[in-house]
């Protein structure tokens, strides 16, 4: 594997990769065959990780930490080691599906509300004819359901498992089961099935380009306001780190 270019933001490592590089790394993980964890970091993840060291440990142990949130690009610039671009979970899910249809990789979609993973699978197959989706299951991140779900996934033998339970449950679920699953790539994707299925509408490209997708999402899902309080908290912590008031914010490339 090539050396990773990483930026550290408030103690969390984020890979400085482009979308194309991310897809190419996923291919390398599949070729390698050993289990790999891919996470999609945003400011909310970083705030959660400060409160839960076990989540921070999972994120920093990931094989690939994608810069999903626009806030991370801003923070990395402020902290002196800019990230090249935003790489979102939903774009990566769609990109991997295209790659999978071309190369014959099998996918498995776990999580989301009842019927959403199935609807996302249908849309992805429509978009990429020939795509092999080995299974979908809404399930729950509760440990009591785990053995059965792990057994089902192992039998389906996917190359890539997407898990949509929201952070930090999805990353914890993967971390607990990754070795046993024997899946080369497992990735937490949050609300990506909602977007891929068409149940939730993505912000127009120009809104994304202005870095305002979070605001668009808040307008469509106002119940998110409480969670989004993480954004001003994140901004304050980054500015404090920039001023040298905290030891965790150095944007060093690792
Ligand atoms: N979810 C789930 N089971 C749970 C909790 C959440 O399937 O116990 C799903 C939920 O339906 C949604 C996704 O997990 O599709 C979480 O999306 P969220 O909006 O939190 O993720 P984000 O995109 O903000 O990271």
């Amino acid at each position: 594997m090539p050396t990773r270019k990483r930026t550290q933001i408030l103690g969390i490592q984020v890979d400085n990769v482009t979308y194309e590089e991310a897809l190419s790394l996923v291919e390398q993980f599949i070729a390698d065959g050993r289990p790999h964890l891919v996470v999609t970091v945003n400011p909310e993840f970083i705030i959660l990780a400060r409160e839960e060291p076990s989540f921070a440990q999972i994120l920093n142990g990931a094989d690939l930490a994608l810069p999903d949130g626009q806030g991370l690009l801003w923070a990395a610039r402020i902290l002196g080691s800019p990230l090249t671009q935003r790489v979102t979970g939903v774009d990566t899910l769609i990109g991997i599906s295209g790659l999978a249809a071309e190369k014959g990789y099998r996918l498995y979609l776990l999580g989301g509300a009842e019927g959403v993973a199935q609807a996302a699978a249908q849309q992805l197959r429509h978009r990429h004819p020939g795509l092999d989706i080995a299974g979908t299951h809404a399930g729950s991140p509760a440990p009591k359901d785990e053995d059965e779900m792990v057994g089902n996934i192992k039998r389906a033998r996917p190359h890539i498992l997407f898990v949509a339970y929201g952070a930090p449950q999805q990353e914890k679920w993967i971390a607990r089961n990754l070795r046993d699953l024997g899946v080369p790539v497992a990735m937490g994707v949050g609300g990506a099935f909602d977007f891929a299925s068409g149940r939730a509408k993505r912000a127009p490209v120009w809104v994304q380009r202005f870095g305002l997708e979070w605001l668009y999402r808040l307008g469509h899902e106002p119940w998110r306001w409480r969670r989004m309080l993480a954004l001003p908290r994140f901004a304050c912590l980054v500015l404090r780190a920039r001023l040298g008031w905290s030891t965790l914010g150095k944007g060093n490339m690792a």
Side-chain angles (χ1 to χ4, degrees), residues 111-113 141 164-166 190-191 194 217 224 227:
Y165 287 140
D194 300 315
R217 214 167 168 199
R224 284 184 179 273
R227 277 175 53 174

Side-chain angles (χ1 to χ4, degrees), residues 149-218:
M149 285 197 290
V150 168
N152 288 341
I153 296 166
K154 276 165 90 167
R155 276 187 292 280
R157 295 178 51 246
H159 296 91
I160 304 148
L161 167 68
F162 295 105
V163 184
Y165 287 140
Q169 287 83 357
Q170 60 199 17
E171 287 75 19
K172 288 182 176 174
W173 192 97
I174 296 172
R176 281 200 300 275
N177 295 299
L178 188 59
R179 304 276 144 212
D180 194 19
L181 283 165
V183 173
V185 181
M187 175 171 166
V189 289
F193 297 169
D194 300 315
F195 291 117
S197 65
R199 306 250 168 135
K201 208 164 148 6
R202 198 102 196 257
V205 174
W206 69 267
V207 175
Q208 294 179 37
R209 289 225 176 99
F210 274 104
L212 293 175
E213 191 165 15
W214 61 274
L215 190 59
Y216 179 91
R217 214 167 168 199
L218 183 62

Side-chain angles (χ1 to χ4, degrees), residues 40 42 44-45 68 90 110-114 116 137-142 163-171 188-195 217 221 223-224 227-228:
T40 55
N42 64 29
E44 258 182 70
F45 277 49
D68 186 328
V90 62
L110 176 68
E114 205 54 53
V116 173
H137 185 65
S140 109
V163 184
Y165 287 140
Q169 287 83 357
Q170 60 199 17
E171 287 75 19
V189 289
F193 297 169
D194 300 315
F195 291 117
R217 214 167 168 199
E221 298 165 305
W223 53 267
R224 284 184 179 273
R227 277 175 53 174
M228 285 197 176

